[in-house]
Amino acid sequence: MHEFTSVHEAIERIKQMQPLPRKVRIRMGKMRGSAKAFEEMFREHTRDTGLQGIGLEIEQVPVEISCQCGLEGTVRVMGHVHFVRCPRCGHITDAIRGNELEIEVLE
Ligand SMILES: [Zn+2]
């Protein structure tokens, strides 16, 4: 699952922070899947580690494209996706937003 990769990336990045944060905000692009699945997996993979019980605020970032056909804007994606297809012309197009994984320390 795509969330799994994101969870591992987040855990690795948080583990390197000194001191370890007690609460973080994660801005997660919708291409990375659902916040709910992310949080469940995060909890499972941090159990019995220094990150157990850390506060999580997850903010989901919508997917936005800018296609060669001229279409620009937000598109809906279902679940975790590796690429986005333009709803107008059908081309596989680069997302300009929606794949980020940003971690901000809150406490
Ligand atoms: Zn297009």
Side-chain angles (χ1 to χ4, degrees):
M1 279 176 82
H2 208 55
E3 286 95 348
F4 184 74
T5 315
S6 303
V7 166
H8 267 259
E9 191 181 328
I11 290 173
E12 286 310 311
R13 276 157 61 181
I14 296 169
K15 275 202 308 208
Q16 312 211 338
M17 296 175 177
Q18 289 300 331
L20 279 182
R22 293 178 1 187
K23 187 174 183 185
V24 294
R25 176 183 293 136
I26 297 180
R27 296 185 73 240
M28 173 183 165
K30 284 205 168 168
M31 286 178 75
R32 289 179 176 267
S34 91
K36 188 169 178 287
F38 179 95
E39 179 159 6
E40 282 169 6
M41 228 175 281
F42 186 94
R43 296 294 179 208
E44 197 177 307
H45 286 270
T46 52
R47 192 175 300 143
D48 300 325
T49 75
L51 296 181
Q52 178 167 356
I54 187 176
L56 274 188
E57 253 181 41
I58 302 177
E59 186 188 325
Q60 290 232 276
V61 182
V63 179
E64 237 175 76
I65 61 164
S66 173
C67 183
Q68 58 188 26
C69 74
L71 185 80
E72 286 185 12
T74 305
V75 293
R76 283 173 58 93
V77 295
M78 295 294 286
H80 55 97
V81 294
H82 294 274
F83 58 85
V84 182
R85 209 174 269 283
C86 173
R88 183 154 86 189
C89 71
H91 264 103
I92 289 173
T93 180
D94 286 332
I96 52 177
R97 266 156 55 97
N99 197 31
E100 45 277 272
L101 184 67
E102 293 166 13
I103 302 166
E104 183 191 343
V105 175
L106 297 179
E107 280 174 35

